[in-house]
Amino acid sequence: MTADLAELVSVRYLVDDVGAAIDFYTRQLGFAVRMSAAPAFADVTRGHLRLLLSGPASSAGRAMPDGTKPGPGGWNRIHLIVGDIAAEVTRLRAAGVPFRSDIVTGPGGQQIVLDDPSGNPVELFQPAGR
């Protein structure tokens, strides 16, 4: 794991429960905890991806000037490459992870979208030819 922030790509996810998000990303998807200030915030990494997990008590969770409150969910997502998508789906389903879709096959490979504990989507992708 690199300590140099310039070497990492950072993505922020708003989450309902930072502890549950840490547990999910580390146990289910192979991330490592870089820093935790739970229950407000944590930062986990996988390779060069730095995922910022911002809970309701974090500065990123504060209401906008018009009163709009940021929240989890949506369709923007992190994209994780896997070697055997069928095996990963089987493992994650057995762990109770919810999926938004079944495996979809396209010209570039296969993909599936799952939800983290707060409803943020994560895409697993197996490139064609693997």
Side-chain angles (χ1 to χ4, degrees), residues 23-44:
D23 185 58
F24 176 78
Y25 282 98
T26 58
R27 290 179 188 238
Q28 301 302 333
L29 298 178
F31 282 74
V33 175
R34 185 171 180 279
M35 189 280 288
S36 176
F41 173 83
D43 142 6
V44 296

Side-chain angles (χ1 to χ4, degrees), residues 13 17 20 29 33 35 45 48 54 62 67 81 85 98 100 103-104 110 115 117:
Y13 265 4
D17 181 323
L29 298 178
V33 175
M35 189 280 288
T45 59
H48 289 281
S54 298
R62 292 182 189 152
I81 304 293
I85 197 165
R100 291 189 181 190
I103 296 173
V104 175
Q110 296 179 303
D115 281 338

